[in-house]
Amino acid sequence: MINQDFYTFPPSSKNDWIDQIKRDLKGKDYDSTLTSELWDKIKIQPFYTSDDLNEEVAEYKFHPESKLPGMSPRLWNNLVSIYPENEKSANEETLHTLQNGADGLVFHLDGSENLNQILRAVHTEFISTNFLPTGETALLFRAIHEWIQSTTLKPSMLSGAILWNPCDELFLTNGDLELGIDLAAKAINDFKEFREFYPMTIDLSRYANAGATGIEELTYGLGEVIELIDKLSKKAISPTQVFENLAFHTAIGDSHFAEIAKIKGLRKLIKELAGNYGVEVEMESIHIITSTSTWSKSLLDKNTNLIRQTYEAMAGILGGGNSLWVKPTEGRNASVLEKRIARNISTIVKEESYLDKVMDPAAGSFYLEKLQQEIEEEVILELQKLEETGGWLKGFEARTIHKEIRASRESAQKKILSEANIKVGVNKYLAKGKLENHLPFEQIIEKDFELVPSRATYFVEQNILSKA
């Protein structure tokens, strides 16, 4: 502890520093020169001090201590996508992936696959096993049950999640939510013994990848939780059961520090929302999957996308993600090299950047603590507005959710098109000659009930690549 009497000069408050800065600006406006705006809601100051914090900060705990001795303080799963074309090749790819840096898998399945063959020789007790439905969800649930029964898998030998919840069906087919609620209620009961496997996942990333701001992403994602609790209560599923069976999936955009604060804020907001229902949820028991954003990538600068993946991955870990899913820009069509690079980012972040050595390195930063607080306050206000207008489902049916997100998307895309916002490799410092490596452009078509993944650079790509 430093003895404050050691210093012979009086301390300076934040206002003292602001006054000095204004004198140094010599007539220039302080706000227009040095402040900026995040997500059209939060003013970013040029500096922060302890005066900005109105409560004592505490280090977060993102997960329980490892059951294995000698592990690092900070743990996360490195997720890799598997798209089975046939069971044999999928099993070979799965084993190769696990032997080369991955310790988590995301299987994209329609429910007709033979999971016994795909997961042959895979020790699920040591990895995170996740399933993403690409067809009829009920078929996939049945396939998972048959696999568990045929292998007599013990509950302690399966961790991970099914990347689905009933609200997903509305965005895919504009179908009947009640059918999904029935399936969710059955899943909660069927997997009640599998304490580390989550049969439902709130997909906040759907909003972020469609162009929503971070505040909109958290607002509508948590709005889904409230809607599900209300619907499932009518199926004799308690709020406690809902929170125990939910994972959360958020996309990490290119506003590095804001994304760190957003993910930490999400964890705190989940705990507070559970508390409103009388449910005690420990911070470390909340499972958050962080994936690199599709919204932040560009078809015009394939190589720069790799850099974006890296700092987005760092934000995901610093923000407290329990699983890191670095998505190759070309998805299932990615080359072997691109898949390898995406898979290795987690290893580099751990082995070379040492982000596994401290649980919460962002704790105590005046800037990040204040930013997180302001994000939480804005999300709570927006959630209150959403509930006052009838809730998430009413917003979906009236398309007010879609309208707001599409407005945010178009605004961001126009700013990049007009160069009001600079994006390296798109409207500034373009790759030329041998470095130029464009990806193929396809028009994005969206039905009124859909929120299709887009890109902030879409208008620029449309101007350049559609004419090529």
Side-chain angles (χ1 to χ4, degrees), residues 221-424:
L222 294 175
E224 287 186 30
V225 178
I226 296 169
E227 198 69 51
L228 290 178
I229 290 173
D230 179 59
K231 296 290 184 183
L232 286 166
S233 67
K234 299 170 184 176
K235 305 292 180 181
I237 301 294
S238 69
T240 299
Q241 289 175 288
V242 174
F243 281 104
E244 286 177 347
N245 287 276
L246 276 183
F248 298 83
H249 173 203
T250 179
I252 318 154
D254 52 9
S255 296
H256 182 71
F257 294 108
E259 293 296 330
I260 296 171
K262 182 192 81 175
I263 301 166
K264 291 187 70 175
L266 171 61
R267 189 176 293 272
K268 186 177 176 184
L269 287 166
I270 294 167
K271 178 179 174 62
E272 290 179 354
L273 179 61
N276 290 340
Y277 286 95
V279 180
E280 182 64 32
V281 173
E282 298 296 330
M283 286 272 197
E284 59 266 32
S285 69
I286 299 168
H287 188 81
I288 297 178
I289 300 167
T290 55
S291 65
T292 52
S293 171
T294 58
W295 168 253
S296 63
K297 305 305 179 295
S298 170
L299 304 182
L300 296 173
D301 55 339
K302 179 179 177 180
N303 297 323
T304 310
N305 286 336
L306 301 177
I307 300 171
R308 296 186 180 112
Q309 285 178 338
T310 303
Y311 65 71
E312 288 172 5
M314 290 179 64
I317 298 306
L318 292 171
N322 302 103
S323 292
L324 175 62
W325 186 7
V326 180
K327 296 182 177 181
T329 306
E330 295 183 74
R332 69 182 303 161
N333 299 318
S335 65
V336 173
L337 176 62
E338 188 181 358
K339 289 179 182 178
R340 179 183 174 186
I341 291 173
R343 186 178 67 236
N344 285 347
I345 287 174
S346 177
T347 304
I348 293 170
V349 165
K350 183 182 297 182
E351 302 294 340
E352 297 186 19
S353 298
Y354 305 113
L355 296 192
D356 65 332
K357 302 305 179 188
V358 179
M359 178 66 77
D360 185 8
S365 162
F366 300 144
Y367 171 38
L368 290 175
E369 296 287 354
K370 181 62 175 179
L371 189 54
Q372 179 186 334
Q373 176 189 321
E374 292 182 325
I375 290 171
E376 291 169 6
E377 289 172 353
E378 288 292 340
V379 170
I380 290 170
L381 285 174
E382 293 302 318
L383 269 174
Q384 290 172 344
K385 292 178 185 176
L386 183 64
E387 290 304 304
E388 287 169 2
T389 56
W392 182 89
L393 184 57
K394 289 289 185 183
F396 175 89
E397 292 172 341
R399 305 295 187 255
T400 53
I401 293 174
H402 304 70
K403 183 179 179 180
E404 183 175 341
I405 291 174
R406 285 167 183 157
S408 296
R409 174 171 67 200
E410 186 175 348
S411 174
Q413 290 169 334
K414 284 183 176 178
K415 286 178 182 177
I416 290 177
L417 180 63
S418 66
E419 299 186 16
N421 283 351
I422 299 301
K423 196 159 180 82
V424 173

Side-chain angles (χ1 to χ4, degrees), residues 1-7:
M1 192 84 175
I2 297 175
N3 184 353
Q4 295 297 325
D5 293 337
F6 174 81
Y7 300 103

